[in-house]
Amino acid sequence: MTAKSDLLGRDAVNPHEEWLMRHSEALKSTRKTRFETSSGIEINPVYSPWDLEKMGWSYQSDVGFPGEEPWTRGFSACGYRQRLWDIEMYAGFGSAEDANKRYRYLLENGSTGGVSIALDLPTQIGLDPDHPLASDEVGQIGVSLMSFEDIKVMFDGIPLEKAGHVFTTGNCIGPLAAAWFLALAEERGEYPGCFTLQVQNDPIKEYIARGTQFLPIEASVKLATDMLQYVSENVPQWLPISISGSHMKQAGASTVQEAAFTVCNGIAYVEACLAKGMKIDDFGDRIELHFCTEMDFFEEVAKYRAVRKIWTRLVRERFGGTTRKAQMFRLHAATSGRPLTAQQPLNNVSRITLQALEQILGGCEQTRTASFDEALGIPTELAARTSIRINQIIGHETGIPDTVDPLGGSYFVEALTKQFENQIREVVAEVDALGGALAAAKSGWFQRQLAKGAYREQCRIESGEQIVVGVNAFRSDEPPPEQTFRVDPSAAARQLAKLNALRERRDKVRHTAALARLREDCAAGVNVMPAMIEAVRARATVGEIGALWREVFGEYRPQSERF
Amino acid sequence: MTTNDTFTQPLRVVMTKVGLDGHDRGVKVIAQAFRDEGMEVIYAGLRRTPDEIADIVSQEDADILGLSILSGAVVPLTRRVVQALAAREIEDVLVIVGGIVSDEAREELRGIGVEGVFGPGASLAEIIRFVNENAPDRSMPA
């Protein structure tokens, strides 16, 4: 049968439509009524050149070649043929001594992405371990760092140059985190540019999703961009900001929203920098955009390809970037802990493998990989090592990295990339109309979008519409796994003892003077970094600096909301 | 549904994060589910102290207090909230806890009178059933 018109007598205009008509009966017998990506984009039964034609797609303007505008196929011409992606393992717990042991273990076992430091909550929120709100949480979900003394212990026996890349979150304490490592390089007599310090330093998404904010949002953005400015001017090898979509997605954003909200927050930081008199041509390549990779395979690949295109175009068209350097942001991907299940935890090895593959096929140069026991607690050494091996297997056994952007030209992936680009732009325009990211965060607009998404997904899982293997389908009666990591319970007491000893031992005159200067500079509105570095040298603690900021800038207060 | 019965007042629920952990996806999902069940729900936000929480429960005359804790300090934090409630002689509020809770911690929570503990994988239906069965009886004639 070769039908060339549909039941209404409309003529098929191309071979794709002819095919749809020829197989219209067969195409009706599907296992779902609608196929869609996790963001709700409808998926067709098959894609062909005519889908791209209909979208006005062109190879040169939409895709181009690797290492060239519009950067869809990647920032480097040689891709993973030059070098494989960096394998970065995020870790940290207990005291600086405990964390030091884990970092050495990871470096010895093939982690090529340097040292990636998880901070405990008191450190992130600017509280010392003896603060009444902090006492139960010291060293629990990350390492407790109180002062410069802890930074020295944490890097004992780890040469900065060998670590190569040091990452930490420090979203609302960005200037302090940078000052710690400037002081460490200074004390070791090394040039700080001999390694790359990277601080997430993205407070806006804390107010939206991650929750370590403790100052008014404007003050947090001011501090974050002070650090960004100081670092880009003084240690251009460092990466002073990693604008993160990952946490918003894990809190309920769709993949389109994850990408779009990150771009919106990025616009807010760049605008704050431009207002300080900075030029995008000088710091564009110091910006990282960070996302997390979940289970919808092609959507994630499309996201990474679309984001490269969108951000670089914004840099050119909205911020007046003229150089290649201005556009070369760093694209970072991490497999998401959220799809990992506590039930049948070994299934997570396969989830992590697929996610790792998605971010590699999306062309991300730097990737982080979660561990299969993350739904149960801090990863064990076995689980962390297995994640390193997943990357090595993809890198060395599969041939996947041997050509650049191997999914480029897939009709489906190209169509999805274009659809992603269009949808992200629409959301950015919507947030612009709300007054930008800060206004949308303050009014709770972002937060409501995330809560809606999270509730929708939970309802879909409970109704069985969305299947999570081992959770709402294919369950088995297994005893819960025994091997979960436990933080040494003495860590908090050890930190308290060290804190008290430090307060006795440090040079009190220098300490008082340094804090007085920091207070003056904060109040005067000048860049806080020079005073922050001196405060760190004088052994000011995270709690003292947090308290000083709260006094000068005011404190974030939670607000009750009625559902 | 008992909560929509004309002879009973809707259940009043205070949901909050306690401790420093800021991950509020779960607590908001449950707040919305309770709302859709016809309950009156107030989400008090992040980083509330035990005293603040007890004050909010008292001001709102809540039947149910939902605590969300993902950071590993679930037992000491819950204990402090329970103590703060006791210090204000608030006895008829049902405390439920959600988060990552080990079996050991579950036992300890039972020891301080908290039976409704829901970990990863708990369903909304199961949480709602527990609340409807265990909420303090304050039915009033219409």
Side-chain angles (χ1 to χ4, degrees):
Chain A
M1 208 172 98
T2 53
K4 289 211 172 181
S5 58
D6 66 11
L7 296 172
L8 298 171
R10 286 180 307 205
D11 288 337
V13 297
N14 63 45
H16 188 129
E17 290 191 5
E18 284 173 27
W19 176 84
L20 284 171
M21 286 173 189
R22 269 201 305 280
H23 298 278
S24 58
E25 276 310 310
L27 291 170
K28 278 181 202 153
S29 63
T30 52
R31 64 190 156 78
K32 291 189 201 174
T33 49
R34 179 185 157 95
F35 290 83
E36 59 179 29
T37 70
S38 73
S39 298
I41 297 173
E42 185 163 14
I43 303 172
N44 298 336
V46 78
Y47 287 80
S48 73
W50 289 279
D51 290 293
L52 300 177
E53 194 185 278
K54 209 158 56 187
M55 301 174 116
W57 178 93
S58 107
Y59 181 78
Q60 273 307 332
S61 66
D62 282 299
V63 186
F65 283 96
E68 293 180 8
E69 281 181 24
W71 314 109
T72 313
R73 308 198 73 177
F75 287 135
S76 95
C78 205
Y80 303 133
R81 289 163 70 93
Q82 184 184 7
R83 61 188 299 248
L84 295 177
W85 53 95
D86 289 327
I87 307 171
E88 182 190 340
M89 301 298 297
Y90 186 48
F93 48 83
S95 67
E97 290 84 355
D98 302 323
N100 175 263
K101 271 185 225 147
R102 174 62 70 97
Y103 300 145
R104 289 189 190 207
Y105 175 87
L106 291 171
L107 288 171
E108 281 158 18
N109 278 277
S111 167
T112 57
V115 174
S116 189
I117 305 161
L119 302 174
D120 75 353
L121 286 166
T123 306
Q124 296 188 57
I125 296 171
L127 303 173
D128 280 335
D130 59 351
H131 189 283
L133 278 175
S135 55
D136 298 318
E137 317 220 26
V138 177
Q140 282 291 335
I141 59 130
V143 57
S144 162
L145 301 177
M146 301 175 294
S147 76
F148 180 49
E149 294 292 320
D150 282 331
I151 310 303
K152 292 198 290 180
V153 171
M154 186 166 66
F155 275 77
D156 184 37
I158 304 175
L160 292 172
E161 208 169 341
K162 182 176 169 232
H165 189 96
V166 175
F167 167 79
T168 190
T169 48
N171 286 293
C172 297
I173 57 160
L176 174 58
W180 277 335
F181 286 91
L182 286 166
L184 183 65
E186 177 183 75
E187 182 157 304
R188 289 188 178 182
E190 289 181 74
Y191 173 57
C194 78
F195 72 112
T196 305
L197 175 77
Q198 179 176 34
V199 185
Q200 196 164 75
N201 196 32
D202 166 17
I204 300 175
K205 61 92 176 53
E206 300 294 318
Y207 297 80
I208 299 173
R210 190 168 172 274
T212 67
Q213 69 276 28
F214 62 94
L215 302 173
I217 192 166
E218 291 82 1
S220 290
V221 171
K222 182 251 187 278
L223 291 170
T225 49
D226 274 4
M227 192 273 254
L228 202 167
Q229 180 176 30
Y230 184 90
V231 166
S232 66
E233 287 170 4
N234 292 279
V235 199
Q237 295 82 358
W238 285 12
L239 293 162
I241 193 163
S242 174
I243 305 157
S244 304
S246 152
H247 314 87
M248 296 188 282
K249 182 169 180 175
Q250 300 193 18
S254 70
T255 304
V256 166
Q257 288 173 327
E258 176 201 22
F261 294 175
T262 306
V263 168
C264 294
N265 292 349
I267 292 170
Y269 291 116
V270 171
E271 285 176 348
C273 288
L274 300 180
K276 284 178 195 266
M278 299 168 68
K279 296 272 174 287
I280 190 75
D281 283 348
D282 299 330
F283 71 94
D285 68 340
R286 297 299 89 200
I287 292 172
E288 173 173 287
L289 303 187
H290 160 71
F291 301 95
C292 73
T293 315
E294 295 197 336
M295 297 307 293
D296 192 318
F297 199 96
F298 294 106
E299 190 178 66
E300 293 291 357
V301 174
K303 172 184 77 181
Y304 291 116
R305 299 174 88 246
V307 159
R308 270 195 296 269
K309 204 169 155 185
I310 284 189
W311 182 260
T312 51
R313 189 167 148 192
L314 268 175
V315 165
R316 295 191 302 272
E317 294 178 0
R318 186 163 177 157
F319 305 130
T322 57
T323 59
R324 182 184 164 95
K325 177 180 149 95
Q327 298 178 59
M328 286 301 98
F329 76 97
R330 191 175 187 265
L331 179 59
H332 186 275
T335 72
S336 173
R338 201 184 62 82
L340 306 185
T341 61
Q343 297 84 352
Q344 307 175 26
L346 282 180
N347 295 348
N348 295 328
V349 173
S350 132
R351 294 192 176 97
I352 294 164
T353 304
L354 288 164
Q355 293 172 7
L357 201 51
E358 291 158 30
Q359 54 200 25
I360 288 158
L361 290 170
C364 302
E365 290 89 358
Q366 288 80 26
T367 67
R368 197 180 303 142
T369 320
S371 299
F372 67 76
D373 56 4
E374 278 202 17
L376 305 165
I378 287 175
T380 54
E381 287 187 354
L382 170 69
R385 194 183 65 211
T386 303
S387 288
I388 295 174
R389 298 291 177 258
I390 289 170
N391 282 281
Q392 290 162 333
I393 290 166
I394 298 173
H396 300 289
E397 296 185 7
T398 64
I400 287 165
D402 292 354
T403 187
V404 185
D405 188 30
L407 293 184
S410 148
Y411 306 122
F412 179 38
V413 170
E414 296 298 358
L416 206 49
T417 303
K418 182 99 177 161
Q419 281 171 301
F420 248 73
E421 190 193 341
N422 294 339
Q423 295 204 359
I424 292 168
R425 266 194 234 294
E426 281 166 25
V427 179
V428 172
E430 195 178 351
V431 174
D432 277 343
L434 291 169
L438 289 197
K442 283 169 77 169
S443 71
W445 184 85
F446 283 128
Q447 294 87 330
R448 285 191 293 277
Q449 303 296 314
L450 307 192
K452 248 189 261 174
Y455 186 57
R456 176 176 171 268
E457 190 186 67
Q458 186 65 30
C459 293
R460 283 164 54 92
I461 290 172
E462 299 213 358
S463 71
E465 196 181 334
Q466 184 175 334
I467 291 199
V468 184
V469 173
V471 175
N472 67 351
F474 316 112
R475 296 163 72 123
S476 49
D477 283 327
E478 283 176 25
E482 284 167 22
Q483 193 193 22
T484 53
F485 182 86
R486 280 184 202 285
V487 176
D488 178 350
S490 72
R494 280 186 278 133
Q495 288 299 86
L496 269 180
K498 275 198 291 185
L499 179 64
N500 292 330
L502 173 78
R503 286 186 180 142
E504 280 305 307
R505 195 179 62 239
R506 68 188 170 193
D507 178 341
K508 293 185 183 60
V509 174
R510 184 178 186 186
H511 173 258
T512 308
L515 283 184
R517 181 182 161 204
L518 180 61
R519 182 184 299 273
E520 267 170 41
D521 283 6
C522 288
V526 299
N527 193 306
V528 300
M529 282 303 294
M532 181 61 68
I533 297 164
E534 174 55 19
V536 162
R537 290 188 195 114
R539 306 299 191 266
T541 65
V542 65
E544 289 161 350
I545 290 162
L548 185 154
W549 278 347
R550 286 172 167 94
E551 284 167 34
V552 176
F553 297 116
E555 184 162 14
Y556 164 83
R557 295 289 307 149
Q559 285 175 339
S560 293
E561 56 180 301
R562 264 166 221 283
F563 264 73
Chain B
M1 282 290 128
T2 48
T3 49
N4 289 329
D5 196 296
T6 38
F7 297 101
T8 55
Q9 299 285 329
L11 288 171
R12 297 177 62 82
V13 188
V14 170
M15 306 285 296
T16 189
K17 295 290 296 180
V18 59
L20 301 181
D21 159 50
H23 294 93
D24 58 5
R25 176 188 173 117
V27 70
K28 285 182 176 173
V29 164
I30 292 167
Q32 187 61 49
F34 284 168
R35 180 71 197 84
D36 284 0
E37 271 298 293
M39 303 182 203
E40 286 185 5
V41 186
I42 289 128
Y43 171 53
L46 303 184
R47 243 177 279 153
R48 293 291 191 176
T49 65
D51 283 333
E52 278 178 296
I53 293 168
D55 287 341
I56 296 170
V57 166
S58 161
Q59 282 153 19
E60 297 291 339
D61 191 24
D63 304 294
I64 295 155
L65 170 62
L67 303 175
S68 162
I69 309 163
L70 271 70
S71 70
V74 55
V75 175
L77 289 170
T78 307
R79 182 178 290 123
R80 275 186 215 156
V81 173
V82 168
Q83 284 165 353
L85 291 170
R88 285 162 185 73
E89 298 179 344
I90 303 171
E91 278 151 10
D92 55 350
V93 62
L94 174 68
V95 179
I96 58 173
V97 170
I100 299 175
V101 186
S102 65
D103 288 347
E104 210 177 313
R106 210 173 271 268
E107 275 309 306
E108 287 182 69
L109 289 173
R110 193 163 289 146
I112 53 172
V114 177
E115 300 276 346
V117 179
F118 303 95
S123 74
L124 296 175
E126 160 190 355
I127 298 167
I128 289 165
R129 194 181 324 117
F130 180 88
V131 162
N132 280 329
E133 284 169 6
N134 294 280
D137 182 16
R138 292 195 201 165
S139 49
M140 288 160 57

